[in-house]
Amino acid sequence: MNGVVEAAAVSKWYGEVLGLNAFTASFGKGITGLVGPNGAGKSTLFKLLIGQLHSDQGKITLLGEDPWNNVSLKRRLGYCPEQNQLYGWLTGQQFVETLLRLDGMPPAKARQEATAALKVVGLSGAAQRPTRGYSRGMRQRAKLAQALAHHPEILILDEPLSGADPAGRVHILRTISDFARDGGHVLMSTHVLYEIERITNNIVLIHNGKAIAAGDIHAIRALIDEHPHAVRIETSKPRQLAQALARMEHVVSFEFPATDTLLVRTRKPDAFYRELPQIVSDTKLEVQGLESPDDSLDAVFRYLVG
Amino acid sequence: MDWTESFRKAWVVTGLTFRYLLGTRRVIATALLAAVPIILTLSLAAARVERFNILLFQDLMIPLFLQVVLIFITLVNATALIREEIDDNTLPFLLTRPISKPALVAYKYVGYLIAVLVLVLPPVVVAYGVTEAYGGLGFMEDADVLWGFLAATILGTAAYGALFLFISVLVRRPLAVGLLIGFVWESVVDSIPGDVPKLSVIHYLKTILKDVVAIGPLGGYPSDLSAGAAAGILIAFSIAMVILSAFVFQQMEFRQKA
């Protein structure tokens, strides 16, 4: 057992509900994507790794140590939770700085590191604004900034792209890639395979609390390409955006579930995510958020688990 | 242990808690409630109530301030310390930093003490000052009353806060349990014979007032303790409650809400 994360037959129950079911996996260095639909057990695994939960059965280690109530281990990890709640009355700068000072950093150094981290995630312009006014994408970036500002060895990111706008996604993915390139380890969850594909080939598929597949992404992708992938886009002009997106040959259908929402189904999600920022930029249409519902991934998981 | 680093962390958590309690909308309601003694004494002065003196001040402050205002303010703020961060999903930011859970509880409690004392002490002093000024007396004329109420307010804030903090790490709906203890148990306990009143915070607060204030409505209060002993019991109780809270919190798991 010498991986960054080692889990051996780890089980976790929430009363009658099984969060993880004899989960066994070993995650190596670099970026590992943990892919699975909502409720698959990704967040439970992460909470075990950051010591917010302890396992009912089995053994789990992070960087070779037991995470439960392990204070010193927390210096070595950076965590980005799924929820978007921040301390709303703090500015972005104060938010990151405050958390850095909890690492024991002197105030001047914390200020310097917070400024640098906010710059890395592209939030310098909004650093002096209270976080209560941040969009979902900005909150994601603020959370990422606080996770990496103290230069941890490993980043644990729970759905870091959820709700981020196209430009924010590019920024977040670039930040994660740069962190890994500089020698850091990243464990990142998503329910959208195509997001993680852009930064790593190393993935673990999780379903019903179990690791059902691990390794290279390409074989799994081939399966997924057979199922149209749904993308929900928040925009003030959904019909105009649909017109602009219609020129993509791989787009199968459009739906308008709300006045400010466009649901697109595509057969080539990777191409869709690659081309979308350019189209949005060319048409000058505003996109407030981007999300992928579980449906398409669920179909693949149903296939994999028989 | 690096004391400088521990002090830095304590300062940050205490400051964060202070701003959390006094920087959110909750403070408007609690500050208004804390100002009740000032509003009341100013009203009595404005209405030129003949009986308005230091005795009436005590008659009103014990049931109104100690048994209602103080309990409500400590309940609202102490239960917010941990439980609200759990409900708001902000706790992971603190729990993924190199700071132990017991230390987090202790530092938050200190932040609570400072924030609540900032809210409740000035109104006591101002209301006392209005009373003395109305009677044409010097500010320190009835200093025993002032010291008695300040001591009762500080120790009440500490003891109720620690008790409600403990309840908040123990149950999911601490406000309901706290209301029962604060407004039912603490109100009726005095009328129960025997040693039962010793199982309440208010008994020791009244004991302090009885012992410190020379002339007042608690002159005949049935307590054989000195103010010092009562204060010692309240301090020991507060420390024990904070330690218990830290112990429970150390064992707690956090399953964030979606």
Side-chain angles (χ1 to χ4, degrees), chain A residues 104, chain B residues 1-11 107:
Chain B
M1 179 188 262
D2 183 342
W3 288 100
T4 315
E5 193 177 310
S6 296
F7 181 75
R8 266 194 210 120
K9 290 176 185 176
W11 181 257
Y107 301 157

Side-chain angles (χ1 to χ4, degrees), chain B residues 106-136:
Chain B
Y107 301 157
K108 275 184 157 282
Y109 178 71
V110 173
Y112 150 86
L113 271 184
I114 298 169
V116 173
L117 289 176
V118 163
L119 275 177
V120 296
L121 284 182
V124 172
V125 178
V126 173
Y128 165 83
V130 170
T131 308
E132 295 297 71
Y134 181 77

Side-chain angles (χ1 to χ4, degrees), chain A residues 190-211:
Chain A
T190 177
H191 57 266
V192 184
L193 187 64
Y194 308 97
E195 292 179 335
I196 214 143
E197 187 183 31
R198 296 162 74 172
I199 53 172
T200 184
N201 287 331
N202 188 26
I203 65 155
V204 175
L205 287 186
I206 180 170
H207 189 60
N208 284 341
K210 272 185 181 290

